[in-house]
Amino acid sequence: MKERIGIFLCECGPNIAEKIDLDKVKEALEHLPNVVIVARHKLFCSLQGKEFLKESIKENNLTRFVIAACSPKQHELTFMIVAEDAGMNPHLFQMANIREQCAWIIEDKDEATKKAILYIKAAYKRVIYHESLDKKEIVANPDVLVIGGGIAGIEASLALAGPDRKVYLIEKTESLGGKIKEFDEVFISFKNGQSIIDERLERIEKEDNIETRLQAEVIDVKGFLGNFIVIVKTGDSEEKIQVGAIIVAIGFELINLSQLKGYGSLDCDDIYTGLEFEKMKKEGKITTKSGSVPKSVGIIHCIGRNEVGYCSGVCCLSSIKFSKYIQDKLPGTNIFEFYRDLTLPDKAYQKFYENIENKGVNFIQADDIKIANEKGLKIKYNKNKSTQPVDMIILSPAYVPAKDSNSLAEMLRIPRDDSGFFTEEHPKLAPVNTSAEGIFIIGCAQGPKSIKDSISQAHAAAGKILASIIPGKKLEPEVRISYINEAFCIGCQKCLNTCNYGAIYFDNLKFISIVNEVLCHGCGNCIASCNSSAIQLKHFKDIQMHQEIIEILR
Amino acid sequence: MENNILVIGAGITGIEASILLANAGKHVYLVEKSPIIGGNIIKFEHVFPNFECATCLVSPRQQEVLQNSNIELLLLSEVKKVTGKPGAFSVKIKKQARYVDMENCIGCGACYDVCPVKIPNEYEENLMQRFAIYVPYSGSLPNVPAIDTENCIRFAGEECNACQESCMFEAINYDEKDEELDLKVDAIIVSTGFQQHKPVAKYGWGTIDDVYNAFEFERIFASNGPTTGEIKKKDGSEPKSIAIIHCVGRDENKYCSAVCCINSLKFIHYLKEKIEDIKITNFYRDLCLPGKKYDKFAGDMKSLGTDFIRSDDIEISSGDKSILVNYMNGDAKKQLPADMVILSSSIEPQKDNNDLAKVLGIELDSFGFFQESDPDFGTETSTRDGIYIAGCAQAPKDIQNCVTQAQSAVEKALFQFNLK
């Protein structure tokens, strides 16, 4: 079939018409091979403009067209829709930006006109090599795998499970509930941790669509958004679970105290970590090892902050909560809170702190803390110039990533930060997504945070899944993606490492790389890495780009 | 059946919620009281910790809102009345006339040049002027001006149709009328954001030259702002020293806004980028840097060069040659001269939260933020079924947590319809 190409010149009101001699432009284009129409309009993005464009495409039986107007960022989508309405594949047109790149930046009308002609000719050359790209639809499994049965994993599971969506909740210990069930009270609602979990366990019990696997672990993950295949090992048995999305909610651990240096003696009697102290409170027995009631307690914040290189964001609050525990249970006890920088990042926290402080807790700012055991426990600070003897010490150690983070990250092919926590897709705009589509990170697996923020993230991940993997609805992946020419691929595998989305895998049998069409975002990284030019990006193929560039440089 | 959801406020939180709901196939009414979308984030030149250009970050999302056929954007609009119950709310919206046709206007700006009215631009923190027909910032989206009838002389009775005559697209229509719209919606998400605290008298804000609050400084640094990014004193000279005061408004508001320390540290980068040898002093109480990234960020910023002084009692006065920061350090009264002062003002509830709470039938907390149903387990549910809260409307927080809450509120709204 003979090509019939249209070129459309937008005046953009006075924006283009006054700065570029469009008659001259028209003249320069009319005689190009296969060009059957060159037409101008006051404003192609207006209703009348779009209608005119649509009718011109139809009347002239155009096979491709170029529109010279503004930035494609502004109106490429507008004209794609017009092309579709006119019955043409939306990828068979090209925009030439003669407004931002010509009219708006060049004072001299002749110069601007010349450049505009060059740009439009380049777009014309390019569009000749455009190919139809058809939308694809893939069936997506709505079921979800949640790894980690702490409060974040539980909340996400409850939010997602329903008649059309099954949730598999995988927990490596013998019970659900994670760390929170160890907490006698959680800030800032002061509810009992165990009853929070019990209430949710009851709901899980009643929910037919949550399948819990205890003492289980994920040992293999294959597949991609909408179609993951996961092998879960429970005891000696292995099962294959198919899901459309995966949520990682494996929580945190406290930094191992034996790793810490510079605090003096941390392994003496009557020194407890926050979690150990929670247990004492829960059992209702706050006593020293010798069985006596402590008359004075030192609570030390920021344990291990220097080592991990971040503030865990919650230890100040839980430390202050420990003061409350002591005030509640053992009124009259002298309490000393040693802090570096009080971190109280929410509307409710300052009041809580002030209440506790007003009841007689001593807050001491100190950057250098040393613990000595010389005839009883002593906290030294202020360059050893000040000393506070106490009967008991509670440490608030930093939150660190859960032990399995590394192996899980490798299995799921998701990156981790310098800190070891899983990396979100974007620190502002996509906090619970990962670079692997369909895999989400929530709670302290993503970074140290409060229960309130963990819960929000759990629901956020659930929200993203509910909105994107809808039962009965197919996914429509991006069509401008990479593809690999099998004949040219030499199997060097360089592209595998450049892909941020885990979209390229290696076929050992054929000894070539293969692009997963669902996962590829069309970023183009792999193309630059390919020595043999085996990889091409649809709609940005070498020939398309070269033709455009050659014409511009002419 | 198609569900309709009302999102109030088109800042980053409302935008995120709307896009997500639209992608889930819901019909969204996004109501915004200003003439544009983007909220406070578009005031920023860069956002911490990666110094990404804020407008570049948001503009794809803004475009998505403008182009998504499931989102019906109602600008210059306010919610006036809500009755009914979850799944069947009736909502009355008052939509002010824009007087400029959104379809026909291409944002060429020809109308600005001819407008005889010049008034301070409140969106630019009154640091520059705008016309009566205006867009808040250059680069605003949608890039369509609105006529501010309170300041337009035509609406005050004078003969003027300069803007209409200048418009080549017949986009300006003085006869456009305010509208009242009646909507039926199933659920409502409140994402009305925050306002910046106005520093009290002792900080010299508004009375001493070269004392700026954080948003003012953000606009001064902004490449599309009043000075196109040049940091200059009022007398035109370059400041040689600057004091950044953290926690401004904390005593009055009685909470920590959670983001000001990190944002203040960001300013070190801003300043050193423009004026290499500027002397910077940060006055802080406690450096609040919660999260896996911010100690490193703070370290990077500190390495650019700044002094830190811990003090919770600060007063700004004007000296002979410079501004004076009077502060208590331990029990000693001290003084530091500075050519410029930035006040890191706290995040405050919007002043019209009370009115909106009454309209919606939901409660405010003691600070004036919208009250959540549970401080740990239900921060995105309001005190009324079917109405959800997200972002700084609920409590001060950073962008990441705003986006998280938006996504969470969407989950809760979808959950309500059992669309699991």
Side-chain angles (χ1 to χ4, degrees):
Chain A
M1 188 180 79
K2 197 167 153 39
E3 293 291 350
R4 297 178 61 82
I5 300 173
I7 299 179
F8 298 94
L9 311 172
C10 183
E11 295 175 12
C12 195
N15 277 284
I16 292 174
E18 282 181 7
K19 295 291 171 70
I20 292 173
D21 186 340
L22 288 176
D23 290 334
K24 238 187 198 164
V25 173
K26 194 172 176 211
E27 222 169 88
L29 303 169
E30 269 171 338
H31 306 293
L32 291 170
N34 296 331
V35 169
V36 294
I37 176 177
V38 180
R40 55 195 272 183
H41 191 274
K42 195 168 129 189
L43 199 62
F44 272 106
C45 62
S46 66
L47 278 177
Q48 299 90 327
K50 287 189 276 191
E51 197 54 36
F52 171 70
L53 179 59
K54 189 173 130 188
E55 289 310 314
S56 302
I57 295 170
K58 284 200 207 158
E59 276 169 23
N60 295 286
N61 290 320
L62 297 184
T63 53
R64 298 156 196 277
F65 70 95
V66 168
I67 180 154
C70 54
S71 159
K73 273 199 158 177
Q74 197 154 358
H75 280 304
E76 188 176 53
L77 184 64
T78 311
F79 299 128
M80 282 177 90
I81 293 168
V82 175
E84 264 189 318
D85 285 351
M88 184 190 264
N89 186 285
H91 293 91
L92 293 178
F93 91 96
Q94 175 70 4
M95 272 183 97
N97 181 355
I98 60 166
R99 192 178 74 176
E100 282 86 341
Q101 292 180 351
C102 302
W104 279 358
I105 53 165
I106 303 171
E107 280 298 319
D108 186 276
K109 195 169 180 176
D110 282 344
E111 284 298 314
T113 305
K114 262 193 221 162
K115 190 176 173 193
I117 292 171
L118 220 49
Y119 272 37
I120 300 168
K121 279 187 173 173
Y124 158 79
K125 275 284 186 179
R126 189 188 204 280
V127 85
I128 292 171
Y129 292 89
H130 278 197
E131 292 167 0
S132 292
L133 298 178
D134 292 321
K135 272 185 198 162
K136 273 206 190 98
E137 286 188 331
I138 60 158
V139 178
N141 184 337
D143 298 347
V144 180
L145 180 84
V146 177
I147 309 173
I151 186 68
I154 289 175
E155 281 281 319
S157 302
L158 283 167
L160 283 163
D164 297 323
R165 195 187 308 270
K166 215 170 194 168
V167 174
Y168 300 91
L169 178 55
I170 311 298
E171 166 58 35
K172 84 177 163 183
T173 70
E174 64 281 1
S175 64
L176 295 176
K179 298 250 182 346
I180 194 175
K181 65 178 186 292
E182 314 289 336
F183 296 172
D184 197 38
E185 294 173 19
V186 303
F187 67 79
I188 196 86
S189 57
F190 302 109
K191 290 181 180 161
N192 174 266
Q194 185 67 55
S195 39
I196 288 163
I197 294 301
D198 288 346
E199 183 202 320
R200 284 164 177 76
L201 290 184
E202 239 173 77
R203 282 168 58 201
I204 288 180
E205 197 74 17
K206 282 187 206 140
E207 178 56 77
D208 294 337
N209 295 297
I210 299 179
E211 283 197 27
T212 307
R213 301 279 185 277
L214 298 174
Q215 290 176 296
E217 57 176 335
V218 174
I219 56 168
D220 190 36
V221 178
K222 285 202 171 66
F224 48 88
L225 169 70
N227 296 282
F228 288 102
I229 298 169
V230 185
I231 308 294
V232 174
K233 192 175 171 206
T234 313
D236 289 334
S237 66
E238 286 181 11
E239 71 181 307
K240 188 171 102 175
I241 293 176
Q242 287 180 295
V243 293
I246 297 174
I247 296 178
V248 180
I250 59 169
F252 70 99
E253 282 166 26
L254 294 181
I255 191 169
N256 186 345
L257 297 183
S258 64
Q259 288 175 2
L260 302 175
K261 292 190 181 73
Y263 288 104
S265 348
L266 288 179
D267 54 356
C268 318
D269 284 347
D270 298 322
I271 299 181
Y272 302 97
T273 66
L275 279 176
E276 287 164 349
F277 185 68
E278 288 280 1
K279 205 169 160 220
M280 290 174 80
K281 164 73 176 9
K282 212 170 142 187
E283 287 163 4
K285 263 178 39 185
I286 302 177
T287 57
T288 62
K289 199 165 186 207
S290 63
S292 61
V293 170
K295 293 203 166 47
S296 57
V297 178
I299 302 172
I300 305 175
H301 301 213
C302 284
I303 297 287
R305 176 164 175 182
N306 289 348
E307 284 76 3
V308 297
Y310 52 83
C311 157
S312 299
V314 287
C315 336
C316 280
L317 264 301
S318 50
S319 301
I320 299 169
K321 183 184 74 178
F322 298 149
S323 281
K324 177 183 178 291
Y325 282 2
I326 300 166
Q327 286 174 341
D328 288 352
K329 288 278 171 193
L330 307 170
T333 309
N334 287 316
I335 310 171
F336 304 90
E337 294 245 11
F338 291 89
Y339 71 97
R340 255 201 242 181
D341 286 283
L342 269 188
T343 298
L344 307 168
D346 184 62
K347 62 181 180 181
Y349 295 166
Q350 174 144 337
K351 195 172 159 212
F352 172 51
Y353 152 71
E354 282 172 2
N355 282 344
I356 299 296
E357 194 197 22
N358 289 340
K359 283 193 203 158
V361 173
N362 303 290
F363 279 84
I364 297 162
Q365 200 277 324
D367 294 334
D368 57 328
I369 299 278
K370 281 224 171 7
I371 296 169
N373 192 7
E374 337 166 307
K375 296 177 201 157
L377 288 173
K378 293 194 170 60
I379 299 170
K380 298 189 169 182
Y381 59 101
N382 198 6
K383 297 193 180 93
N384 276 334
K385 279 186 267 178
S386 311
T387 300
Q388 180 60 54
V390 288
D391 297 336
M392 181 187 278
I393 290 176
I394 305 167
L395 305 174
S396 275
Y399 283 30
V400 296
K403 275 196 202 80
D404 317 343
S405 300
N406 199 20
S407 55
L408 204 52
E410 276 176 22
M411 213 186 294
L412 295 168
R413 282 168 294 164
I414 55 173
R416 295 195 300 153
D417 302 328
D418 297 342
S419 58
F421 294 101
F422 295 109
T423 308
E424 58 283 345
E425 188 189 353
H426 191 278
K428 297 279 177 208
L429 300 182
V432 296
N433 292 67
T434 65
S435 56
E437 238 186 315
I439 301 181
F440 299 86
I441 46 175
I442 60 171
C444 290
Q446 185 258 348
K449 61 177 61 65
S450 63
I451 291 169
K452 135 180 109 63
D453 291 344
S454 294
I455 302 279
S456 290
Q457 284 200 334
H459 288 273
K464 292 285 279 188
I465 293 171
L466 289 180
S468 58
I469 309 179
I470 300 164
K473 212 175 139 188
K474 288 177 178 159
L475 299 177
E476 275 184 27
E478 171 65 51
V479 294
R480 298 175 181 188
I481 53 166
S482 293
Y483 71 97
I484 296 177
N485 186 327
E486 293 190 11
F488 292 164
C489 177
I490 56 165
C492 73
Q493 303 186 37
K494 269 190 186 167
C495 51
L496 268 72
N497 294 328
T498 60
C499 181
N500 288 330
Y501 304 101
I504 305 181
Y505 64 97
F506 194 68
D507 185 331
N508 281 314
L509 216 59
K510 289 186 179 168
F511 208 70
I512 52 166
S513 294
I514 293 179
V515 177
N516 181 314
E517 297 193 347
V518 180
L519 293 184
C520 177
H521 283 49
C523 73
N525 271 359
C526 54
I527 290 140
S529 78
C530 184
N531 288 345
S532 50
S533 294
I535 314 184
Q536 295 281 302
L537 185 60
K538 290 179 185 171
H539 207 64
F540 296 91
K541 293 167 85 168
D542 284 352
I543 180 102
Q544 295 163 344
M545 309 289 282
H546 289 165
Q547 289 296 325
E548 186 176 17
I549 293 166
I550 289 167
E551 200 57 39
I552 283 187
L553 297 178
R554 201 177 283 276
Chain B
M1 196 192 82
E2 193 184 53
N3 298 114
N4 299 307
I5 295 171
L6 172 69
V7 177
I8 311 173
I12 187 67
T13 310
I15 286 175
E16 176 69 21
S18 300
I19 292 173
L20 210 51
L21 286 164
N23 291 344
K26 307 293 136 205
H27 183 84
V28 180
Y29 296 105
L30 176 55
V31 169
E32 164 60 42
K33 93 184 147 177
S34 84
I36 56 166
I37 58 174
N40 282 319
I41 189 173
I42 54 175
K43 288 193 164 99
F44 299 134
E45 180 75 357
H46 299 308
V47 290
F48 62 75
N50 294 340
F51 290 95
E52 284 160 291
C53 152
T55 47
C56 314
L57 205 65
V58 195
S59 69
R61 302 271 167 138
Q62 291 170 303
Q63 291 289 6
E64 216 175 324
V65 167
L66 298 176
Q67 293 173 340
N68 195 315
S69 55
N70 279 351
I71 301 175
E72 199 169 326
L73 182 60
L74 301 170
L75 294 167
L76 292 165
S77 298
E78 286 185 63
V79 178
K80 287 294 171 196
K81 198 174 168 193
V82 173
T83 54
K85 58 179 199 299
F89 287 116
S90 298
V91 180
K92 205 175 265 308
I93 306 276
K94 179 155 186 223
K95 185 169 185 274
Q96 272 179 51
R98 190 179 193 103
Y99 306 102
V100 182
D101 188 300
M102 299 264 284
E103 287 290 330
N104 287 339
C105 172
I106 66 149
C108 69
C111 51
Y112 311 145
D113 301 337
V114 296
C115 179
V117 179
K118 272 193 164 184
I119 46 164
N121 185 349
E122 64 276 32
Y123 294 90
E124 291 284 7
E125 307 294 318
N126 299 325
L127 295 170
M128 64 189 290
Q129 293 193 307
R130 65 164 170 86
F131 303 100
I133 183 164
Y134 74 106
V135 288
Y137 313 95
S138 68
S140 292
L141 287 172
N143 184 18
V144 174
I147 294 178
D148 161 10
T149 52
E150 273 176 37
N151 292 293
C152 171
I153 54 171
R154 182 189 172 90
F155 285 86
E158 284 185 50
E159 279 286 320
C160 178
N161 49 4
C163 54
Q164 196 174 49
E165 277 175 10
S166 77
C167 181
M168 269 132 317
F169 303 100
E170 292 164 16
I172 298 174
N173 172 14
Y174 298 126
D175 298 327
E176 194 184 325
K177 294 277 176 286
D178 292 354
E179 285 177 81
E180 279 210 349
L181 306 170
D182 290 305
L183 312 177
K184 296 271 182 235
V185 301
D186 299 276
I188 300 172
I189 294 177
V190 183
S191 51
T192 48
F194 69 98
Q195 64 181 38
Q196 188 177 229
H197 170 77
K198 282 195 172 60
V200 295
K202 69 168 186 169
Y203 290 109
W205 182 73
T207 52
I208 299 171
D209 280 351
D210 303 317
V211 175
Y212 295 109
N213 67 25
F215 272 165
E216 286 171 337
F217 183 67
E218 199 67 63
R219 292 315 299 160
I220 288 171
F221 183 76
S223 46
N224 66 344
T227 63
T228 59
E230 268 193 77
I231 302 171
K232 287 272 163 69
K233 287 169 62 181
K234 214 163 183 189
D235 65 13
S237 67
E238 202 165 69
K240 290 191 170 52
S241 59
I242 193 156
I244 303 173
I245 320 286
H246 298 214
C247 285
V248 172
R250 181 160 177 181
D251 288 336
E252 291 77 16
N253 287 325
K254 303 207 184 311
Y255 56 81
C256 157
S257 296
V259 291
C260 341
C261 277
I262 310 167
N263 201 49
S264 301
L265 296 178
K266 179 185 79 177
F267 291 153
I268 299 170
H269 194 278
Y270 277 15
L271 289 158
K272 290 285 179 180
E273 183 186 324
K274 300 274 176 173
I275 310 167
E276 211 177 310
D277 53 357
I278 193 165
K279 188 183 173 311
I280 305 170
T281 311
N282 274 272
F283 288 88
Y284 74 108
R285 291 185 190 191
D286 289 289
L287 274 187
C288 177
L289 308 166
K292 60 181 178 180
K293 286 207 164 82
Y294 297 137
D295 266 7
K296 180 172 184 303
F297 174 76
D300 292 347
M301 294 305 105
K302 284 175 192 172
S303 69
L304 297 174
T306 175
D307 290 332
F308 279 95
I309 295 174
R310 199 189 270 264
S311 173
D312 59 5
D313 189 358
I314 287 167
E315 221 177 292
I316 311 292
S317 61
S318 52
D320 292 340
K321 287 186 189 144
S322 64
I323 306 167
L324 297 172
V325 181
N326 308 285
Y327 64 99
M328 294 299 287
N329 194 242
D331 292 328
K333 216 172 172 176
K334 291 190 174 172
Q335 208 170 53
L336 183 95
D339 290 340
M340 191 180 268
V341 170
I342 307 172
L343 305 171
S344 227
S345 287
S346 50
I347 286 175
E348 254 177 22
Q350 295 274 25
K351 59 177 182 301
D352 51 8
N353 276 4
N354 203 13
D355 297 338
L356 186 57
K358 273 186 198 148
V359 168
L360 295 171
I362 62 177
E363 284 167 36
L364 297 182
D365 61 20
S366 61
F367 308 109
F369 294 105
F370 292 100
Q371 173 72 50
E372 59 285 328
S373 65
D374 183 296
D376 286 326
F377 300 96
T379 49
E380 294 86 25
T381 34
S382 75
T383 50
R384 183 174 177 190
D385 263 1
I387 301 184
Y388 306 93
I389 50 180
C392 291
Q394 182 261 335
K397 58 180 63 70
D398 65 4
I399 296 167
Q400 177 181 105
N401 283 329
C402 285
V403 170
T404 304
Q405 280 201 317
Q407 297 170 349
S408 174
V410 165
E411 181 271 314
K412 289 177 179 188
L414 294 177
F415 191 94
Q416 182 189 323
F417 306 115
N418 211 8
L419 296 168
K420 295 199 279 180

